[in-house]
Amino acid sequence: MENLYCLRCNRELESGNKSVAVYMFAQTVGIRPRQKSAAKRICFCPQCAVSLAMGPPPEGALNLAAWEMIRELVSSDPALNEAAWEALQVFTRTLPDNGTEAIARPAVGGYLEF
Ligand SMILES: [Zn+2]
């Protein structure tokens, strides 16, 4: 089982973790022999998926296509938002009271900088 990381914040997504997967492959059309690339799986943690969906459209046609798909997921059912909310709660509980960064702070920089 390969280790998966959120494309945006680089958080490790262990198997069983909630995440959004974007599958991508390329294939030739109208060309013989037909060729097909390996399928790639791109993962986002729930927080990044929701954050991306709420944010402005990205640049680039492929980014835009993925953004529209993630927006569709986030807007069609609150389950993904709830997963992001739960993960954020776990994270804020690990912060010490004095506001300094926890030593075992997960890699959420990309999320917070958004
Ligand atoms: Zn992430």
Side-chain angles (χ1 to χ4, degrees):
M1 184 72 196
E2 55 183 332
N3 281 347
L4 295 168
Y5 295 87
C6 173
L7 183 70
R8 187 146 170 274
C9 71
N10 220 28
R11 181 203 315 260
E12 187 169 4
L13 299 165
E14 291 159 23
S15 66
N17 279 17
K18 292 170 183 176
S19 66
V20 173
V22 178
Y23 296 90
M24 207 161 83
F25 71 93
Q27 78 176 22
T28 58
V29 178
I31 298 163
R32 299 278 162 199
R34 172 171 283 192
Q35 287 174 284
K36 195 170 160 181
S37 76
K40 289 241 183 218
R41 176 153 74 145
I42 297 159
C43 295
F44 294 100
C45 68
Q47 296 100 301
C48 285
V50 171
S51 182
L52 283 167
M54 300 289 184
E59 287 187 19
L62 275 177
N63 290 340
L64 198 61
W67 178 73
E68 283 171 354
M69 290 189 284
I70 292 169
R71 271 168 79 88
E72 191 184 325
L73 294 183
V74 170
S75 62
S76 61
D77 192 280
L80 185 54
N81 296 273
E82 280 162 18
W85 183 76
E86 284 162 16
L88 188 62
Q89 274 205 320
V90 170
F91 169 66
T92 52
R93 266 190 241 115
T94 63
L95 286 176
D97 290 338
N98 61 13
T100 56
E101 296 195 358
I103 293 156
R105 186 182 170 189
V108 292
Y111 177 60
L112 295 174
E113 284 162 18
F114 194 78

